[in-house]
Amino acid sequence: MSDYPDVILYAIPFFVIAMGLELYVVTKRGLKDYNTKDAITSIAMGLGNVGLGIFTKILVFASFFYIYDNFRLFTIPVTWWSFILLFFLDDLSYYWFHRISHECRLFWASHVVHHSSQYYNLSTALRQTWSGGFYTFIFWFWLPFLGFHPGLIVLQMSLSLIYQFWIHTEAIDKTPSWFEAVFNTPSHHRVHHGSNPLYLDKNHAGILIIWDKLFGTFQEELAKEKVVYGLVSNINTYNPIKIAFIEWVQLFKDAFTGRKSLKNRLLYFIKPPGWKHDGTGKLSADLRKEWLQDTMHSQSVEKKEVFIKKATG
């Protein structure tokens, strides 16, 4: 384990410097990307995540080493080609972890923290879960099973998170087209943080955007559809403890209060956010469908008005 340093700790000075530069740029441009209370809350969430990481890292390493020592299919050497292979497999693991975190409420309960800010800047990248580190690593179990060394896996997971820091900004509009085609960028990730129906549950990429294009979850950022950051129903608090646990409280309340069958109680943990056992809930697909219908109706009315003006003009 000592051969694979915790690179996230070494990256913290870079994070601080980058946030200072971003704040300077957005201030010069007159953008309103930062809110002091919101930024402080995000930093507090990040510090809490790092503190809890002392315990979660032990759990992750213990689990990975148990699989690696007892069940691995191969012994993959630590060399240049295995690192390249792991880069792609780790990124694929992250894609499915991230996607499921939006499609299953058990995982959304921890991931919602990252989406709770109504601002989008580098401090938002630090707004991390206090609970997810204890169980979301199961999406990477197949890598030590294949035979990748646990230390190398955790190193690559950390490098992926460091990459994702810089994409949380509005200071960068678009990168070169070739880069936008392959990699996750600020533009792609702004979409992911949007609460607009068009943008909900899109662009789950870690480093490579190719997975979203391959599995049908890609959405380009549109100039005519400005991203509205935050949640469909915002939490509206700067209290880190509330942000960290409010969805867990609501999840258990939905699952264990009122008259429901055992099946429906379990489904609250499995179904996507917004699902209700009585059919009154709305999923992101429902919200997107309603938005599309409203948009088409508005366009139809607009065309009729233009036609009438021309006919009577």
Side-chain angles (χ1 to χ4, degrees):
M1 289 171 60
S2 60
D3 294 334
Y4 301 93
D6 191 343
V7 292
I8 290 180
L9 293 178
Y10 290 104
I12 289 177
F14 161 76
F15 293 164
V16 174
I17 294 170
M19 284 190 290
L21 290 173
E22 181 193 42
L23 184 58
Y24 172 77
V25 170
V26 299
T27 301
K28 290 284 285 184
R29 293 183 183 178
L31 301 176
K32 297 180 180 179
D33 291 2
Y34 270 86
N35 172 283
T36 303
K37 288 184 178 180
D38 185 82
I40 291 173
T41 299
S42 294
I43 293 169
M45 299 299 300
L47 291 173
N49 177 269
V50 171
L52 289 167
I54 297 171
F55 304 101
T56 59
K57 282 285 196 306
I58 295 173
L59 180 60
V60 171
F61 269 114
S63 301
F64 285 0
F65 268 109
Y66 180 76
I67 295 171
Y68 181 80
D69 290 338
N70 296 282
F71 302 105
R72 70 178 183 266
L73 297 177
F74 312 100
T75 300
I76 299 175
V78 178
T79 185
W80 66 268
W81 62 263
S82 62
F83 189 83
I84 293 174
L85 179 59
L86 181 61
F87 168 81
F88 286 97
L89 298 184
D90 165 77
D91 207 52
L92 179 61
S93 300
Y94 183 88
Y95 169 83
W96 281 108
F97 144 72
H98 203 178
R99 179 170 174 173
I100 297 300
S101 292
H102 283 254
E103 297 178 351
C104 173
R105 199 169 172 195
L106 176 63
F107 293 96
W108 175 249
S110 62
H111 186 61
V112 66
V113 169
H114 187 58
H115 286 264
S116 60
S117 175
Q118 296 176 55
Y119 294 85
Y120 192 75
N121 51 62
L122 293 177
S123 74
T124 308
L126 306 180
R127 187 175 287 226
Q128 296 292 331
T129 175
W130 290 359
S131 56
F134 290 96
Y135 68 107
T136 55
F137 59 88
I138 62 173
F139 287 91
W140 282 263
F141 273 177
W142 69 300
L143 297 179
F145 178 71
L146 284 178
F148 288 99
H149 190 276
L152 191 62
I153 298 169
V154 173
L155 174 61
Q156 180 55 45
M157 291 170 71
S158 298
L159 292 174
S160 176
L161 289 178
I162 291 173
Y163 175 90
Q164 292 174 59
F165 174 77
W166 78 278
I167 61 178
H168 291 82
T169 186
E170 288 192 310
I172 300 172
D173 182 21
K174 293 274 189 177
T175 58
S177 57
W178 66 267
F179 197 84
E180 294 280 337
V182 178
F183 293 96
N184 198 8
T185 65
S187 178
H188 296 328
H189 204 58
R190 284 194 290 269
V191 167
H192 181 72
H193 275 259
S195 61
N196 317 46
L198 177 64
Y199 294 151
L200 288 175
D201 299 343
K202 298 294 183 179
N203 298 2
H204 302 293
I207 297 177
L208 302 173
I209 199 65
I210 59 175
W211 308 118
D212 286 286
K213 294 180 177 181
L214 179 63
F215 296 115
T217 53
F218 176 72
Q219 173 60 53
E220 186 177 1
E221 181 182 23
L222 304 179
K224 62 181 180 181
E225 184 68 17
K226 182 173 174 56
V227 181
V228 178
Y229 302 110
L231 304 168
V232 173
S233 297
N234 286 304
I235 298 174
N236 294 321
T237 180
Y238 296 117
N239 185 323
I241 296 175
K242 285 185 178 180
I243 293 172
F245 300 111
I246 192 169
E247 180 61 17
W248 283 108
V249 172
Q250 191 58 52
L251 171 57
F252 279 90
K253 182 180 177 182
D254 287 342
F256 296 116
T257 61
R259 300 186 63 179
K260 305 178 184 76
S261 66
L262 177 60
K263 176 183 177 181
N264 282 330
R265 294 185 191 281
L266 291 174
L267 285 176
Y268 271 104
F269 289 88
I270 300 170
K271 290 287 188 177
W275 180 85
K276 299 289 183 184
H277 71 284
D278 58 5
T280 60
K282 289 185 179 180
L283 309 185
S284 60
D286 300 321
L287 296 173
R288 190 176 298 110
K289 184 178 179 180
E290 290 179 359
W291 176 83
L292 287 171
Q293 289 173 342
D294 290 342
T295 302
M296 291 175 66
H297 176 71
S298 298
Q299 290 176 346
S300 178
V301 170
E302 234 175 78
K303 287 179 181 178
K304 286 180 181 178
E305 289 177 347
V306 171
F307 176 77
I308 292 171
K309 285 181 180 179
K310 287 182 178 179
T312 59

